[in-house]
Amino acid sequence: MEIVDLGSGPPVIVIPGIQGRWEWMQPGIEALARRCRVITFSLADEGDGAGFDSAHGFASYVEQVRTAMDASGIDRAAICGVSYGGLVAA
């Protein structure tokens, strides 16, 4: 899974919407990164190596949040999502 990690300050995990690609949110990610550390990624079923596991279904997306946090060396963050990503965040 490719993890995008921009900015500094309080960490914020941003989960993309149903279209799945973080790049669709790039202008917003870059604006947010001016004030905090933004960590994002594309959803698991977008073919970038994250690996959607059909046996785990929706939980595959939730697991991506933990993977991104672990890889980024953080144990606490604000977690938000855009559209479908909001459901994952909740």
Side-chain angles (χ1 to χ4, degrees):
M1 172 171 90
E2 176 189 354
I3 298 170
V4 177
D5 190 338
L6 300 173
S8 62
V12 178
I13 306 289
V14 180
I15 306 165
I18 195 70
Q19 89 296 343
R21 303 293 308 171
W22 79 268
E23 292 90 348
W24 286 78
M25 306 181 306
Q26 190 167 355
I29 295 295
E30 290 172 350
L32 188 57
R34 290 185 206 120
R35 299 194 177 266
C36 51
R37 181 180 179 192
V38 180
I39 299 155
T40 191
F41 45 83
S42 294
L43 293 179
D45 51 355
E46 283 301 307
D48 69 351
F52 183 80
D53 184 345
S54 60
H56 292 124
F58 183 82
S60 294
Y61 302 126
V62 177
E63 183 58 33
Q64 281 190 279
V65 175
R66 172 53 51 204
T67 299
M69 290 177 71
D70 288 347
S72 300
I74 57 175
D75 60 357
R76 295 180 64 145
I79 301 175
C80 67
V82 175
S83 189
Y84 184 74
L87 183 60
V88 176

